[in-house]
């Protein structure tokens, strides 16, 4: 852990600005001081060499002035003492070129040129400060041959030749060079270190301040500011820039918050307005359903009476119109249900093949009427699946109704196939195709919007509200799919959607038993009808009587409790096979009445209670069952639905 921390610290140090600046200073100082060092070392070397070569003048001058006898060159120690350097050999060369005196007496009288050729000599002669010097090639010794001019006793000129050891001079040079090197290196380090410390001291606190401000801003704190923003240097400029940026961000945040608040309020208002609209639509359609019950019920009852041809035509028209009106109301109710978020899926086991066959039966009359062909293309291997049958059925009804409506000749086909199976899941692909008028590409873009039709003109040939596809699209989305269309004007259309569903064990798949309703069958049941609306009372009583039921009527929940005489002992109470109970009633509503009935009746004589209601919102069914009811029929009630309920519960 510690190693990790120190590595991290080192990494940060090497990347820090202070380190980089220090490195630059170090490099600059190295170059400058090294150049300076080389210059001064050279100067010192020159001084040392000058001293060295100049030292040869002293014995020559002394010999010239006669202070030293010429014979003294025979003693190299004397010359060495005078020069301060080790003299290896000394000669005086006379005017005739012969050695008059020499430290090596054997060579006296010999010609200097001979000796130098054999022994002393050497390379190129260079004059240093008036002394001719050349390097001498004597093994093992670092010698130089110095020559100084000399006046001889007989008035002629000669030369003093010295072979001098340069070892001392070189050592001196090395010592000087070493000291210089040491001094300059030390200077470089001290300079770099002090500059680095200075840079660090001047920049680090301010950079840290900037960094901590930026970190605070990152955390959403816009109140922080970098200090010393007034200073005129680059860091001051940086501080001013950062502070300006923070102020800008702060004002933008305030603006954004204000905008968000305004947007939220606008969204809430819009949602409120949309909810009010949906509630209004739901209430309206609910209110319309109650009188519709009367209209449809009465028209149905009238059809069962003796009618002239003209009267029958009128009644049929009333029935057809009210059916259409009911469809519109149902669509509006569905839409408002979806928009209010009250649309819940009711997932159960669904036999898709059965659903399609039922749709075939349902659409057969209208297809035959238009001279069309209706095909169902259902794959053989369809499993039982888990989905919301009601929504699926409604989507297919909407699509098939459109297909029939917009097709004049040819066929309408509904098909489903299982695209793929993975584990317990399968993807069902549904399609509804027709050979109708088709939809232009532009119109394909808009037909899924509410209240929109491909032909929006006043002269359009087909009726409709433009709601069916909008509802279908939303329902398919709820089922987990996406409704799409492909079409060519004049050739036909194809609506498609895929949904992924869980599969049920196919062994459970039952062959559908189609129950043929028998209108004639007399049920002979005792029914209590609890309904406050007189018209609806009459409709329901007539329907029930037609089914061979005996009907008692109660105007509200209180009257229903009275009719059931729940205060009497159980075996003295009147028995009913079924209670049809309206929900919204004066005095005592249907739900409260049901709770009271369930509280007082014995378990053995539990009477089935079925709600008859214009409350057709999702979730209502569950509410009714929670209050002790057994089922519900939504208004307008059809005779077949009532019969089904009676058969199911009695
Ligand atoms: P409605 O049918 O009540 O007008 P829809 O939402 O169901 O409302 O359809 C919207 C529009 O889409 C229709 O008015 C029609 O112009 C077009 N449309 C839908 N289905 C078809 C189809 N099968 N063939 C041709 N046009 C169609």
């Amino acid at each position: 852990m510690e190693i990790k921390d120190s590595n991290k610290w080192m990494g940060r140090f090497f990347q820090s600005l202070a380190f980089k600046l220090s490195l630059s200073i170090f490099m600059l100082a190295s170059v400058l001081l090294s150049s300076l060092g080389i210059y001064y070392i050279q100067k010192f070397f020159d001084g040392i060499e000058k001293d060295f070569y100049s030292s040869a003048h002293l014995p020559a001058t002394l010999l010239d002035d006669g202070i030293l006898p010429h014979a003294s060159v025979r003693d190299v120690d004397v010359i060495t003492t005078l020069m301060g350097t080790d003299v290896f050999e000394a000669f005086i060369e006379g005017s005739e070129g012969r050695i008059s005196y020499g430290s090596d007496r054997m060579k006296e009288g010999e010609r200097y040129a001979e000796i130098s050729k054999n022994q002393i000599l050497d390379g190129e002669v260079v004059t240093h400060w008036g002394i001719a010097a050349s390097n001498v090639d004597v093994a093992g010794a670092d010698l130089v041959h110095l020559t100084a001019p000399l006046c001889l006793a007989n008035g002629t000129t000669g030369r003093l030749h010295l072979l001098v050891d340069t070892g001392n001079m070189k050592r001196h040079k090395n010592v000087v060079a070493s000291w210089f090197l040491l001094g300059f290196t030390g200077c470089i380090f001290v300079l770099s270190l002090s500059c680095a410390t200075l840079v660090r001291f001047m920049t680090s606190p301010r950079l840290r301040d900037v960094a901590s401000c930026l970190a605070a801003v990152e955390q959403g704190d816009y109140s922080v500011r970098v200090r010393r923003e007034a200073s005129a240097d680059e860091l001051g400029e940086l501080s001013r820039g950062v502070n300006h940026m923070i102020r800008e961000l702060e004002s933008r945040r305030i603006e954004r918050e204000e905008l968000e608040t305004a947007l939220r309020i606008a969204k809430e208002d819009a949602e409120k307005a949309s909810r009010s609209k949906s509630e209004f639509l739901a209430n309206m359609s609910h209110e319309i359903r109650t009188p519709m019950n009367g209209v449809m019920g009465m028209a149905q009852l009238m059809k069962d009476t003796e009618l002239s041809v003209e009267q029958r035509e009128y009644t049929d028209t009333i029935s057809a119109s009210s059916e259409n009106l009911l469809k519109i109301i149902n669509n509006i109710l569905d839409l408002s249900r979806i928009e209010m978020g009250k649309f819940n899926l009711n997932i159960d086991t669904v036999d898709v093949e059965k659903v399609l066959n039922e749709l075939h039966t349902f659409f057969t009359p209208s297809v035959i009427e238009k001279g069309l062909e209706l095909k169902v293309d259902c794959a053989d291997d369809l499993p039982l699946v888990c989905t919301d049958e009601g929504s699926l059925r409604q989507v297919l009804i909407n699509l098939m109704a459109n297909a029939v409506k917009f097709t004049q000749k040819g066929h309408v086909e509904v098909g489903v196939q299982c695209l793929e199976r993975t584990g317990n899941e399968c993807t069902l692909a549904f399609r509804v195709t027709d050979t109708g008028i088709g939809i232009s590409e532009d119109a394909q873009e808009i037909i899924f919007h509410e209240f929109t039709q491909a032909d929006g003109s006043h002269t359009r040939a087909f009726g409709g509200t433009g709601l069916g596809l909008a509802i279908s699209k939303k329902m398919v989305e709820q089922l987990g799919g996406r409704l799409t269309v492909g079409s060519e004007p004049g050739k036909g259309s194809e609506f498609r959607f895929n949904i992924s569903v869980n599969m049920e064990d196919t062994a459970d798949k039952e062959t559908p038993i189609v129950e043929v309703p028998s209108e004639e069958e007399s049920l002979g049941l005792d029914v209590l009808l609890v309904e406050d609306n007189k018209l609806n009372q009459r409709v329901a009583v007539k329907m029930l009587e037609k089914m061979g039921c005996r009907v008692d009527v109660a105007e509200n929940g209180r009257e229903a409790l009275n009719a059931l005489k729940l205060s009497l002992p159980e075996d003295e109470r009147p028995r009913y096979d079924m209670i049809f109970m309206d929900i919204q009633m004066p005095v005592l509503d249907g739900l409260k009445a049901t709770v009271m009935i369930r509280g007082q009746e014995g378990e053995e004589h539990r009477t089935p209670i079925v709600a008859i209601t214009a409350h057709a919102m999702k979730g209502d069914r569950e509410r009714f069952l929670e209050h002790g009811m057994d089922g519900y029929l939504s208004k307008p009630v059809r005779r077949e639905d009532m019969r089904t309920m009676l058969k199911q519960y009695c």
Side-chain angles (χ1 to χ4, degrees):
M1 189 70 183
E2 261 176 31
I3 292 173
K4 227 176 173 183
D5 280 353
S6 69
N7 282 349
K8 224 166 152 186
W9 184 89
M10 291 280 278
R12 244 185 289 145
F13 171 74
F14 285 123
Q15 282 169 8
S16 71
L17 190 63
F19 173 75
K20 287 173 189 163
L21 281 173
S22 310
L23 195 68
S24 316
I25 292 167
F26 172 78
M27 276 155 54
L28 200 69
S30 305
V31 172
L32 284 177
L33 290 179
S34 304
S35 319
L36 216 61
I38 290 167
Y39 173 75
Y40 277 106
I41 286 174
Q42 197 56 49
K43 272 209 125 148
F44 266 83
F45 281 7
D46 284 353
I48 292 166
E49 280 179 13
K50 187 181 177 186
D51 286 351
F52 175 78
Y53 290 111
S54 306
S55 62
H57 280 294
L58 188 59
T61 311
L62 292 177
L63 288 168
D64 261 357
D65 293 349
I67 298 167
L68 272 181
H70 284 179
S72 62
V73 295
R74 289 180 181 153
D75 186 353
V76 286
D77 288 341
V78 174
I79 311 287
T80 299
T81 314
L82 285 173
M83 286 182 69
T85 45
D86 292 334
V87 176
F88 189 71
E89 213 166 20
F91 304 100
I92 291 177
E93 181 193 353
S95 53
E96 66 284 6
R98 289 186 185 278
I99 293 172
S100 46
Y101 296 99
S103 52
D104 184 355
R105 288 202 173 183
M106 300 289 286
K107 291 172 185 167
E108 284 180 8
E110 285 184 33
R111 294 188 69 80
Y112 172 74
E114 285 302 314
I115 303 169
S116 63
K117 195 165 68 183
N118 297 338
Q119 188 185 352
I120 303 174
L121 276 198
D122 81 304
E124 191 188 340
V125 177
V126 183
T127 306
H128 297 281
W129 293 280
I131 300 292
S134 60
N135 292 328
V136 177
D137 187 18
V138 176
D142 213 356
L143 302 178
V144 67
H145 172 207
L146 302 179
T147 311
L150 208 64
C151 283
L152 300 176
N154 53 7
T156 57
T157 53
R159 283 184 295 175
L160 172 66
H161 293 279
L162 298 169
L163 281 182
V164 184
D165 185 359
T166 56
N168 274 343
M169 180 187 74
K170 286 191 177 157
R171 266 191 297 283
H172 190 189
K173 272 185 174 178
N174 283 346
V175 170
V176 167
S178 306
W179 278 110
F180 261 97
L181 205 67
L182 201 71
F184 279 107
T185 314
C187 279
I188 289 168
F189 273 104
V190 170
L191 193 71
S192 304
L193 212 66
S194 38
C195 282
T197 314
L198 208 65
V199 165
R200 212 177 147 73
F201 174 73
M202 285 193 306
T203 58
S204 281
R206 296 175 69 185
L207 290 176
R208 261 204 304 276
D209 191 22
V210 171
S212 68
C213 276
L214 291 176
V217 168
E218 203 182 333
Q219 299 298 319
D221 179 5
Y222 294 92
S223 62
V224 290
R225 293 289 178 274
V226 181
R227 282 165 302 207
R228 294 183 58 191
E229 69 171 330
S231 85
D233 56 12
E234 289 85 346
L235 287 176
E237 215 167 288
L238 176 71
S239 308
R240 280 192 294 284
V242 170
N243 283 348
H244 176 73
M245 185 195 77
I246 297 174
R247 274 191 289 273
E248 275 290 307
L249 283 175
E250 191 177 21
S251 71
R252 280 189 199 180
R253 190 194 56 180
I254 293 168
E255 268 173 34
R256 200 190 60 221
E257 279 173 2
E258 283 170 1
L259 203 70
E260 276 173 6
T261 315
L263 273 176
R264 203 181 50 248
I265 292 170
K267 182 171 165 266
E268 281 168 8
D269 286 350
E271 278 173 358
K272 221 188 281 173
S274 166
R275 251 199 318 276
S276 310
K277 183 200 79 182
S278 301
E279 273 166 19
F280 169 76
L281 287 176
N283 288 340
M284 279 307 293
S285 52
H286 167 254
E287 288 307 316
I288 296 168
R289 271 165 176 270
T290 307
M292 280 288 293
N293 194 35
V295 176
M296 289 179 76
M298 280 301 175
Q300 207 173 12
L301 289 172
M302 206 144 83
K303 277 198 220 168
D304 294 341
T305 61
E306 286 284 317
L307 295 172
S308 67
V309 176
E310 195 181 359
Q311 284 168 335
R312 185 159 298 279
E313 196 186 316
Y314 294 162
T315 341
D316 286 346
T317 310
I318 293 172
S319 285
S321 306
S322 44
E323 284 288 347
N324 278 340
L325 186 56
L326 189 63
K327 268 185 218 155
I328 295 172
I329 294 165
N330 282 341
N331 272 346
I332 291 175
L333 198 63
D334 284 336
L335 191 70
S336 43
R337 225 165 60 180
I338 293 170
E339 284 185 351
M340 283 161 74
K342 287 197 176 178
F343 183 85
N344 298 323
L345 292 179
N346 193 4
I347 304 290
D348 211 342
T349 307
V350 180
D351 184 344
V352 179
E353 189 180 350
K354 184 176 154 202
V355 172
L356 259 57
N357 285 331
E358 282 170 5
L359 291 179
H360 183 269
T361 314
F362 181 73
F363 278 102
T364 298
S366 46
V367 166
I368 291 173
E369 196 181 315
K370 290 189 82 173
L372 303 172
E373 193 188 345
L374 178 59
K375 299 179 191 170
V376 174
D377 175 19
C378 200
D380 295 334
D381 59 342
L382 274 190
L384 288 179
V385 297
C386 293
T387 187
D388 181 359
E389 181 173 337
S391 303
L392 181 65
R393 188 186 290 271
Q394 192 169 339
V395 170
L396 290 172
I397 286 179
N398 285 349
L399 298 179
M400 287 177 74
N402 276 346
V404 174
K405 181 160 75 172
F406 294 106
T407 306
Q408 302 305 342
K409 62 174 193 297
H411 68 263
V412 167
E413 183 173 337
V414 57
V416 59
Q417 69 184 88
C418 189
L419 275 193
E420 64 171 4
R421 296 169 193 240
T422 38
N424 191 30
E425 227 179 57
C426 77
T427 306
L428 293 182
F430 290 89
R431 68 195 149 74
V432 176
T433 47
D434 63 61
T435 52
I437 59 170
I439 309 162
S440 70
E441 260 187 48
D442 290 347
Q444 287 173 31
E445 305 268 316
I446 54 162
I447 51 172
F448 293 104
H449 299 166
E450 292 147 23
F451 305 108
T452 317
Q453 297 177 315
D455 179 6
S457 70
H458 292 293
T459 53
R460 67 171 190 262
F462 303 95
T465 54
L467 279 175
L469 286 181
I471 293 169
S472 304
K473 179 174 175 273
K474 286 181 179 160
M475 282 187 172
V476 170
E477 279 164 9
Q478 297 272 346
L479 293 173
R482 201 167 76 86
L483 182 60
T484 56
V485 63
S487 179
E488 209 177 312
K491 293 206 169 154
S493 314
E494 179 171 84
F495 286 84
R496 298 171 294 261
F497 62 93
N498 295 357
I499 51 172
S500 290
V501 283
N502 282 337
M503 290 185 283
E504 283 283 311
D505 192 356
T506 347
D508 298 347
K509 194 170 171 179
E510 292 165 10
T511 323
I513 301 160
V514 182
E515 201 176 310
V516 184
S518 96
E519 285 293 322
E520 310 309 324
E521 190 185 353
S522 172
L523 297 173
L525 299 169
D526 289 315
V527 175
L528 176 62
L529 176 73
V530 192
E531 166 69 82
D532 62 321
N533 183 296
K534 290 276 184 244
L535 183 62
N536 288 344
Q537 268 179 22
R538 280 181 60 200
V539 172
V541 168
K542 284 281 178 207
M543 284 181 176
L544 288 165
E545 283 177 352
K546 286 255 172 202
M547 287 181 250
C549 298
R550 288 170 297 281
V551 189
D552 286 340
V553 178
E555 297 267 335
N556 55 52
R558 174 67 50 211
E559 279 191 18
L561 289 172
N562 293 340
L564 289 167
K565 297 198 172 63
L566 293 167
S567 52
L568 294 180
E570 276 200 30
D571 41 353
E572 290 174 31
R573 293 176 192 172
R575 295 259 168 269
Y576 289 103
D577 298 298
M578 167 74 87
I579 302 172
F580 282 113
M581 177 86 78
D582 189 15
I583 295 294
Q584 219 169 0
M585 288 181 294
V587 187
L588 187 64
D589 69 40
L591 290 178
K592 284 190 193 137
T594 306
V595 172
M596 291 168 87
I597 293 168
R598 292 293 181 233
Q600 291 177 48
E601 72 184 351
E603 261 308 305
E604 281 174 29
H605 296 108
R606 191 177 183 283
T607 316
I609 303 177
V610 169
I612 295 187
T613 178
H615 285 262
M617 301 291 276
K618 200 88 184 175
D620 285 345
R621 180 174 183 275
E622 289 70 27
R623 197 156 55 91
F624 301 154
L625 298 188
E626 267 170 30
H627 282 79
M629 293 181 151
D630 297 274
Y632 97 107
L633 289 173
S634 67
K635 288 178 184 174
V637 177
R638 291 188 181 83
R639 195 164 17 158
E640 301 79 61
D641 298 336
M642 244 179 181
R643 179 187 287 278
T644 311
M645 280 289 168
L646 285 166
K647 280 185 160 180
Q648 186 176 340
Y649 290 106
C650 307

